[in-house]
Amino acid sequence: MAKLSNAVRIGILGASGYTGAELLRLLARHPQAEIRLVTANAKAGKAVGEVFPHLAHLGLPKLVKVEDADYLGLDVVFCALPHGTTQDIIAKLPKHLKVVDLSADFRLHDVGVYAKWYGHEHKAPDLQKEAVYGITELARAAVQKARLVANPGCYPTAAQLPLVPLLEANAIEAGDIIIDAKSGVSGAGREAKEANLFAEVSEGVHPYGIASHRHAPEIEQGLSAAAGKAVVVNFTPHLMPMNRGIEETIYVRLHNGATADDLRETLAKRYAGEAFVRVVPKGAVPHTRHVRGSNHVLMGVFADRIPGRAIIVSVEDNLVKGASGQAIQNMNAMIGLPETTSLEQEPLFP
Amino acid sequence: MAKLSNAVRIGILGASGYTGAELLRLLARHPQAEIRLVTANAKAGKAVGEVFPHLAHLGLPKLVKVEDADYLGLDVVFCALPHGTTQDIIAKLPKHLKVVDLSADFRLHDVGVYAKWYGHEHKAPDLQKEAVYGITELARAAVQKARLVANPGCYPTAAQLPLVPLLEANAIEAGDIIIDAKSGVSGAGREAKEANLFAEVSEGVHPYGIASHRHAPEIEQGLSAAAGKAVVVNFTPHLMPMNRGIEETIYVRLHNGATADDLRETLAKRYAGEAFVRVVPKGAVPHTRHVRGSNHVLMGVFADRIPGRAIIVSVEDNLVKGASGQAIQNMNAMIGLPETTSLEQEPLFP
Amino acid sequence: MAKLSNAVRIGILGASGYTGAELLRLLARHPQAEIRLVTANAKAGKAVGEVFPHLAHLGLPKLVKVEDADYLGLDVVFCALPHGTTQDIIAKLPKHLKVVDLSADFRLHDVGVYAKWYGHEHKAPDLQKEAVYGITELARAAVQKARLVANPGCYPTAAQLPLVPLLEANAIEAGDIIIDAKSGVSGAGREAKEANLFAEVSEGVHPYGIASHRHAPEIEQGLSAAAGKAVVVNFTPHLMPMNRGIEETIYVRLHNGATADDLRETLAKRYAGEAFVRVVPKGAVPHTRHVRGSNHVLMGVFADRIPGRAIIVSVEDNLVKGASGQAIQNMNAMIGLPETTSLEQEPLFP
Amino acid sequence: MAKLSNAVRIGILGASGYTGAELLRLLARHPQAEIRLVTANAKAGKAVGEVFPHLAHLGLPKLVKVEDADYLGLDVVFCALPHGTTQDIIAKLPKHLKVVDLSADFRLHDVGVYAKWYGHEHKAPDLQKEAVYGITELARAAVQKARLVANPGCYPTAAQLPLVPLLEANAIEAGDIIIDAKSGVSGAGREAKEANLFAEVSEGVHPYGIASHRHAPEIEQGLSAAAGKAVVVNFTPHLMPMNRGIEETIYVRLHNGATADDLRETLAKRYAGEAFVRVVPKGAVPHTRHVRGSNHVLMGVFADRIPGRAIIVSVEDNLVKGASGQAIQNMNAMIGLPETTSLEQEPLFP
């Protein structure tokens, strides 16, 4: 695709994982962006096509080590490095760069909470103060002005998009939120681990990280801000035998006489103008396969048979709106482009 | 396998579906049972091996229409017919037969509740009074004396096994039980429906029957009896891209100062002598793949991060303990054989 | 997406199947096409979003019956109707329409061969003479001038793209071609059939249509033309537990002293200028997942251990280059647009 | 299960992989065998239930390092260690032990061929002379007298069972055998490798080891003996998105006027008395799912459309007849038990 001469020049750090592949796939067709740098330490020296044969035809630069990266000719950097290594690297980047960090390293405002859940002190607490937590639809103004955006986690995006407006509207109880989440395996990354082998994952399902998953404090941070008080949630993720997709079935207690229909209406109003977030009609049920490969989020609301309760169903593609798609949406917002640029692709079904 | 001359003579009505196949698979090696009759209306006249090539070598009788069945030489009949057609057929069976019905037709004690959820009047209300609802471990004495056992639904088995003892122990609140259930596709049966095509189910997940699934009243019937009062539950099933297995993540509120450890201990004591039900150690997580193809149920208990709540994880193979395995377990109990007979096979992993 | 005022006006007949969905997905972003008509008899009256929730946001027209279609305001019609019903319908279409037919009804030049393999006389033999068999890369000039293009079958596209140039170059023997093909389940269509249920297809593989599949004569038609003599092939398809993708491993005997390297070079030259067809480097192995969701075809050539033989590996997405993508590529060629228009999307991995 | 006091005492070396799990699953119910030793170096010190939760209830011994194994109280040892490490270990075992080796270390009679394909000299050439290559049905008499059985590879078992009798009958040409093989991922073992991650394998298919897979010489060894001359085959394996199962579609040229029906009859006669090998009726198609979890092999023969050729379809479960099931079948033969002991389980479908 012919790029404009004044294209935004992009670097991707940690490009050999699934979120890296997804950044490359989506940015390849971005009319105002040009990929100039791709790093991947273990696979440095290889062509992108050796690591991702589906992208072999794109004419991308060779993979280099992150320490050999030349940032001078770049405008924007995406960081898709493992958690824990990113704080050091971002702290040392030239300050002219805009940065979207897909790791968890800058997501928690409170460095004490970070230290508790990630097991070590935060290495760049000053940068943390500057970082904007970027669920684009919920933080648009701040993202537009940001230099460093902490791109949200996959689970937290699907949870906060429906729950933040409902807590802000005081329509649900903050102390009784149960998030039963199901994720495709790509969310676990491309590292070779026994637990993620095909034969360990297919033809079965199981919960993991019960009451101890690191996305719980990230969700609670956003919900606490929305509720105006400390919120603790139940968050129970499950590993699905599928590549992509997150579905969250969220069980809430209604507040102030609200009904399930009220919740649906509140969400529909909140997201009426949004390109990527849709509230499905009463009775329709979101499936992860309705959003596969796209930046879309679908949500539905249902009355519970237990009086005073409701059920929210929220789906996204964990690699797109849950990671790389939202990262590009944030970049678009940061540099003044329409947020949908290069994210217009329809979902792939079947 | 050589059968005893005094073998129990078995008929299977509706043998061409997945629960029928599973009855055939498991009974084929039963040392004291002999399959004498297999019916399947749409496939009458065919050999079992045409309908189930994996069982072609067993030398089973040809499939006949249910109206052509000869019951005289039989001792036990398994009914694996569609819901709604079974009441008539069972009502007309000779009374010397012991019957295990795998349909929903005799599961609800209250024929009014049946009519409400199944859309028509119960056609055999007198037989309903005689039917024993057979989660074997919870109704052993009654099953042993029963002539007609209503074999429980797949979801209700995995839900009631952990919840009934906890409600009986008054350790959890009866009014705040949320059952997030995930099932393999075989639970939807072998009928050709667009919604169950491979391309509609694979690579995705979605809830269905939200607040309206017929297994909700079945679960509530058992929990109400255990709690000594009417219980309404949240029951939200999800369709998984896998053949077999049910996982239920059950969210409960603790009662009377009970802790998650107390719940685990209560369950461990309750099922200490059971061959098929195991409570996993603290920290271990049941997967559906740990029970695939077996009659086992695994359950674990976890403390919630929300104070005063706990999480129960329960898994089974929906076609075995959730259907045909439990049916054979019930038959064994009804005729005085060890319950484990022909159900000793270990789970198949991977 | 804003459409040009002089957009090509499109009708899609039979839009409720998987190839229909794929036409809608790809055309939705076509900058010079506008979907004006969508038919689906069994689902007439429904919104597209009820049949394909992943496309609910596109603002497409309601589904109507094919007999209620108004063709006056249209420029191009895609026919994605079942085999056998299409000849009648296309014969009655207004002659100003350009037509791309995705069924098998106009693929076989010889109506006698058609009658033999499809079990009834051809109903529009005059139209058959006009129809252009449209593997775009192999019939570009004819497609550009065509009014009616017979869009090739999924298997025949992946087979002929490598084999036709090799036969034309006289580099392989025409009488010893064995095509072992593997296809995702979406190739079997969306009709509810027991054989395509999730539980019948997943976790297993099997051949079908052995020595009797209707794509054999279609392949042989193209290969015979290329070889200049009647060719009979072995074509053995297998059903894969996956949604999308066709892989063909083709076993050939070398001719005239050609080597595997020669074959690779012949193909690389033949497709050097093509946007969608790529010959992978020596040693690289095409996977179906390298082309998922895209219009790409990858092919590789390998020396056999049996002297004088070679192995060709060819992959495509059966719903894109194997059906709807090639249909759009053909339409683009027919109306003078760049062939890649609306087909630029990169493959989706994982 | 109660074991006899004179049970055969078993050791399993390398029990933490998938073939190890399968040995444990099948032997658990063996009425005349008792598992006394299980080794697994990386997981030594753990309970079997930590490594294989589905077997936690079996009361098996703890995993120990192979160098800490005590062989004195054992009668039989199964070796499921990685290729290359086994020759040393088996050479040092006490000579009273009967040994079934599931690795490739003793499968090739010619140590020169071994060295060429496995990259190092054979470390126990004298033991190699003693080893019996054990496709049980083809080498029964030798297996019954053997002390050391080299258990065949998964692919070679499914290939040789149909091809050896046909070559012995001189019914097919030895120089034109093409084996297109498809295997489930469990065949690749439990080691953590990127290539076997769920997201790399699901929703796609690809060939691998084209013209270079180590099972080719193993197949050729058996076929050469049957043909009475050196045979070179085409063997092209493909990785399937499924856990278990091997399907081989074998393309052969008929010899001496034989027809496809003749081949079927030859095979049917050859295997008429066998418990595990079945030739399906004309027209029936073997699926891998017809043998899942069982020790069965199904094979069918079909006429090709190319005159003078035929197609053979052969299926097995790669972990059972392709590995651990055949290993137990061999042990049964070696110690004089019925070969079917503990292998009677029917296939699991779906």
Side-chain angles (χ1 to χ4, degrees), chain D residues 330-344:
Chain D
N330 281 328
M331 177 197 77
N332 286 336
M334 292 161 84
I335 62 179
L337 292 173
E339 284 179 20
T340 55
T341 310
S342 92
L343 298 170
E344 302 95 343

Side-chain angles (χ1 to χ4, degrees), chain C:
Chain C
M1 180 168 230
K3 301 291 188 180
L4 302 181
S5 60
N6 60 347
V8 178
R9 296 159 303 175
I10 308 261
I12 300 174
L13 309 185
S16 63
Y18 296 134
T19 51
E22 201 67 353
L23 286 168
L24 294 169
R25 172 177 82 91
L26 293 166
L27 289 170
R29 298 295 165 190
H30 196 298
Q32 279 135 309
E34 187 178 355
I35 298 167
R36 287 281 187 95
L37 168 73
V38 282
T39 84
N41 282 13
K43 290 170 177 170
K46 293 195 177 185
V48 166
E50 290 176 83
V51 177
F52 294 123
H54 67 298
L55 303 176
H57 55 292
L58 290 176
L60 293 166
K62 273 209 169 182
L63 294 161
V64 299
K65 294 202 177 206
V66 70
E67 53 262 39
D68 298 335
D70 176 2
Y71 300 105
L72 289 187
L74 302 181
D75 303 305
V76 174
V77 163
F78 291 93
C79 255
L81 296 165
H83 304 317
T85 65
T86 307
Q87 288 158 357
D88 272 344
I89 287 170
I90 292 184
K92 293 175 188 154
L93 288 179
K95 299 303 175 201
H96 76 278
L97 290 174
K98 290 184 187 294
V99 179
V100 182
D101 178 28
L102 287 83
S103 85
D105 275 17
F106 292 97
R107 288 182 196 152
L108 297 176
H109 305 326
D110 183 333
V111 294
V113 175
Y114 178 88
K116 179 183 158 199
W117 283 84
Y118 287 85
H120 62 88
E121 292 302 303
H122 200 288
K123 297 169 188 163
D126 287 340
L127 261 183
Q128 180 60 59
K129 288 173 198 154
E130 182 190 345
V132 171
Y133 182 82
I135 296 186
T136 327
E137 289 80 4
L138 300 180
R140 181 164 284 131
V143 167
Q144 286 168 343
K145 290 179 289 191
R147 192 185 73 81
L148 168 58
V149 166
N151 208 59
C154 49
Y155 287 124
T157 296
Q160 292 175 79
L161 277 166
L163 289 171
V164 163
L166 298 179
L167 286 168
E168 288 177 349
N170 207 11
I172 58 174
E173 284 191 20
D176 196 352
I177 297 173
I178 293 168
I179 304 168
D180 188 292
K182 298 99 181 166
S183 174
V185 188
S186 63
R190 205 186 196 189
E191 200 189 329
K193 288 182 186 169
E194 182 184 293
N196 298 329
L197 292 174
F198 183 90
E200 305 287 323
V201 174
S202 70
E203 262 294 300
V205 61
H206 66 279
Y208 67 99
I210 301 174
S212 63
H213 194 284
R214 288 167 168 177
H215 282 179
E218 187 179 332
I219 293 168
E220 289 167 356
Q221 169 179 279
L223 301 194
S224 297
K229 61 181 173 186
V231 172
V232 174
V233 298
N234 176 304
F235 169 65
T236 308
H238 299 71
L239 193 65
M240 292 287 104
M242 62 190 198
N243 282 324
R244 288 172 178 252
I246 280 181
E247 189 268 349
E248 299 187 2
T249 306
I250 306 175
Y251 302 97
V252 297
R253 190 174 294 279
L254 296 160
H255 202 50
N256 279 333
T259 64
D261 290 342
D262 293 337
L263 303 196
R264 192 183 309 106
E265 197 178 340
T266 297
L267 292 171
K269 278 186 187 158
R270 176 66 184 80
Y271 295 117
E274 294 292 344
F276 296 127
V277 181
R278 276 188 294 144
V279 181
V280 302
K282 187 172 183 169
V285 179
H287 297 206
T288 59
R289 54 186 74 78
H290 298 162
V291 298
R292 189 188 301 147
S294 81
N295 203 46
H296 298 175
V297 172
L298 301 184
M299 52 184 73
V301 185
F302 303 83
D304 196 335
R305 294 184 64 240
I306 302 181
R309 300 194 61 96
I311 304 162
I312 302 164
V313 176
S314 171
V315 300
E316 68 176 12
D317 185 317
N318 59 301
L319 291 179
V320 193
K321 184 63 178 176
S324 305
Q326 182 150 267
I328 293 169
Q329 186 182 0
N330 281 328
M331 178 198 76
N332 286 336
M334 291 162 84
I335 62 179
L337 291 174
E339 284 177 19
T340 55
T341 310
S342 92
L343 298 170
E344 303 93 344
Q345 300 175 42
E346 306 309 332
L348 191 76
F349 169 82

